[in-house]
Amino acid sequence: MSDSAAANLGGKLGAIVPAGFRLIALDAVGSTNEEALRLAAEGTAAGTVVWAREQTKGRGRRGRVWESPPGNLYCSLVLRPRRSNPAQVSFVAAVALANAIAALTPDQSVQIKWPNDVLLGNRKVAGILLEGMDGAVVLGTGVNVAQAPEGAASIAGAGGVGDIETVLHRYLTEFSQWYRRWEQAGFDSIREAWLTRATGLGREIEVRLPTETVPGTFAGLDAEGVLLLDTDRGVRRIAAGDVYVLDRSAA
Ligand code: BTN
């Protein structure tokens, strides 16, 4: 943790996060997920948010690196879900994040690519990495606010409004509403909201798995968030992989 770490005990930092969250703001850290996992192991309360201006070892899904220069949002939220399928939190987060980004980028298309990439104008603008340990889960989120790697989108690049603090505040506000819905009513309403923003639904897609690439029609999600792919050999259920929409013009 950097020397300028500051726990949020109210005041200026308090305005960045909605009620119910506790903010730990850092100038720089290896990975906010790593830091949040460490705090979770020490018993930190659910609702603790680790936010860093930059990361030196930002990590993405499937062992990838998440480039984390200053200017974008990097945060990790500690949760202790009461429901039996904590992996569904990544769908809750994707819906919340897509709504927050849509509010900041009027007139732009904001979609979700399974399982939880947020797309702005068909290019990735944000990613989610859920990691867990001993009943706690850490929800890591990276949003391209001011800049984007090649081929990706940023909020500023799309003419959107809002600095990092605004994006964080909106995201957490949306997240607390959707999380409460999930905890009280289950996955169905999350699934429905997720599907309304899904890219490639009903279209030809390709799912890249570690050892094979499977083409088919994106038929939907099951009750657990598993992707249903209609293939030549019947419906295949896919729990993890990378989706590529093939008939993009029609998506
Ligand atoms: C993805 O591959 O799409 C997921 C990217 C998740 C990046 C965020 S940035 C904040 C948090 N800390 C990390 O090291 N990773 C996540």
Side-chain angles (χ1 to χ4, degrees):
M1 191 183 294
S2 91
D3 286 339
S4 56
N8 172 33
L9 302 171
K12 198 171 160 219
L13 282 175
I16 300 174
V17 293
F21 295 95
R22 183 180 77 108
L23 181 65
I24 295 174
L26 309 172
D27 285 338
V29 72
S31 156
T32 56
N33 264 31
E34 191 70 48
E35 184 60 17
L37 283 166
R38 192 184 67 71
L39 292 170
E42 287 177 359
T44 200
T48 300
V49 180
V50 180
W51 165 45
R53 293 275 176 193
E54 66 180 304
Q55 300 183 119
T56 52
K57 287 187 183 153
R59 52 196 198 213
R61 284 176 60 232
R62 299 161 71 83
R64 294 180 187 122
V65 169
W66 186 261
E67 298 298 336
S68 308
N72 294 334
L73 172 63
Y74 315 107
C75 66
S76 299
L77 170 62
V78 177
L79 297 163
R80 299 184 186 278
R82 287 195 294 263
R83 294 196 72 86
S84 61
N85 193 343
Q88 291 172 352
V89 169
S90 77
F91 293 86
V92 177
V95 168
L97 188 55
N99 284 357
I101 291 172
L104 298 169
T105 55
D107 305 325
Q108 300 282 331
S109 141
V110 178
Q111 292 185 295
I112 305 172
K113 184 161 79 72
W114 185 87
N116 51 35
D117 286 348
V118 179
L119 309 183
L120 180 57
N122 276 337
R123 289 180 299 146
K124 181 163 171 170
V125 68
I128 288 165
L129 177 65
L130 194 69
E131 297 184 292
M133 51 94 52
D134 295 340
V137 297
V138 165
L139 169 64
T141 306
V143 183
N144 300 331
V145 179
Q147 55 185 296
E150 199 169 335
S154 71
I155 291 178
V161 290
D163 54 16
I164 296 172
E165 289 86 343
T166 311
V167 177
L168 178 57
H169 188 89
R170 280 211 174 240
Y171 173 41
L172 293 178
T173 303
E174 284 279 345
F175 181 80
S176 58
Q177 290 162 8
W178 286 98
Y179 188 75
R180 195 174 314 121
R181 192 174 299 188
W182 174 68
E183 283 212 313
Q184 290 173 356
F187 189 57
D188 276 1
S189 66
I190 307 302
R191 184 174 162 275
E192 202 175 299
W194 190 98
L195 286 169
T196 64
R197 285 206 186 267
T199 187
L201 190 63
R203 309 286 177 199
E204 290 305 304
I205 65 171
E206 193 170 87
V207 186
R208 296 188 194 158
L209 308 174
T211 53
E212 61 176 327
T213 294
V214 193
T217 305
F218 182 9
L221 295 186
D222 78 358
E224 299 300 321
V226 168
L227 183 144
L228 302 175
L229 189 66
D230 211 349
T231 73
D232 290 348
R233 298 177 178 187
V235 175
R236 188 150 163 189
R237 296 161 46 81
I238 297 180
D242 286 318
V243 165
Y244 293 83
V245 179
L246 299 179
D247 58 347
R248 172 63 70 191
S249 62

